[in-house]
Amino acid sequence: MDVVYINPFVRSIKRVFETMVKVKVRVGKPITRHDAYASADVSGIVGFSGDAVGTVVLSFPKEVACQVASQFAGTEIDEDHPDFADAVGELANMVAGSAKTDFEGMNVSISLPSVIIGKDHTVSQSKVSPRIVIPCECEFGAIFVEIGMEIKGAAKTAKLAAAGVNR
Amino acid sequence: MDVVYINPFVRSIKRVFETMVKVKVRVGKPITRHDAYASADVSGIVGFSGDAVGTVVLSFPKEVACQVASQFAGTEIDEDHPDFADAVGELANMVAGSAKTDFEGMNVSISLPSVIIGKDHTVSQSKVSPRIVIPCECEFGAIFVEIGMEIKGAAKTAKLAAAGVNR
């Protein structure tokens, strides 16, 4: 995955959390990951298709997810609350949708979010390797944004040219 | 979700498992589900976008997933095997892709599969309610196919007309 595609997600996680959850997000150094096996308790997954094909996963430890969801919803909600998954899914959707607006000139559509709840689950994208993990931190704790994405030929060339990347 | 869209998935689960896993699949009566909370140990998730927007989830208890993946791969693989998630993802991808070919006249694209491994996790599609669960059974045990999908206006009218449904 080209690093030029990481920045839209860095901007979008900051923008969405600062606007919608009212917390500042510190973004750490992105890590390339080849295996599937980092675990989380709560994950929101959104698929991309079209000129960019792949997935973005927003993952949290349970306590962080509950605090983020509560602040986003404006009322206390825990993992058993009927609105909990909706809140996490909506945040994942916003992070994906906001990043998508930065992919100028590309025809990309995003799927509806799926939300996984289960202690220490792993999410693997079987066909996209390696993937990029952006480790983030907010006042409630750790947030991970994991991106596995492939850009189709023509769109890739145009986008890299627009970004001033020679190759 | 219109029942007319269930049949492509019923056909595809049978076709994919009989061809690729070499097991017969018995399909039970589809159930409408409004909440998110049935749990599984292994889930393969594929998103749809375009004229049909939504998700299909293929879920298994762990033991069933291991036996299905082993038979599919032609060698014994358990949940810790590096090819396990790939096998489950590929099956979910085939079930979605094969169902998609039955959506004639619709422009639908599917995302890459995500595979979730974690005891008793739940998968919720926050925006699609109700969803349809197709309970299936093969010689290894239970398989569940869960579909949450919305069809866009024009495509819906055309498809329903083609299916001979008046409304």
Side-chain angles (χ1 to χ4, degrees), chain A residues 76-97:
Chain A
E76 192 153 330
I77 60 182
D78 64 12
E79 65 172 322
D80 298 321
H81 192 285
D83 293 340
F84 178 72
D86 268 10
V88 173
E90 189 52 34
L91 283 169
N93 190 49
M94 285 176 180
V95 168

Side-chain angles (χ1 to χ4, degrees), chain A residues 11 103 139 147:
Chain A
R11 283 194 290 273
F103 290 3
E139 65 185 78
I147 311 151

Side-chain angles (χ1 to χ4, degrees), chain A residues 24 33 48 72 97 128:
Chain A
K24 282 226 173 291
R33 210 171 75 188
F48 284 82
F72 175 53
V128 181

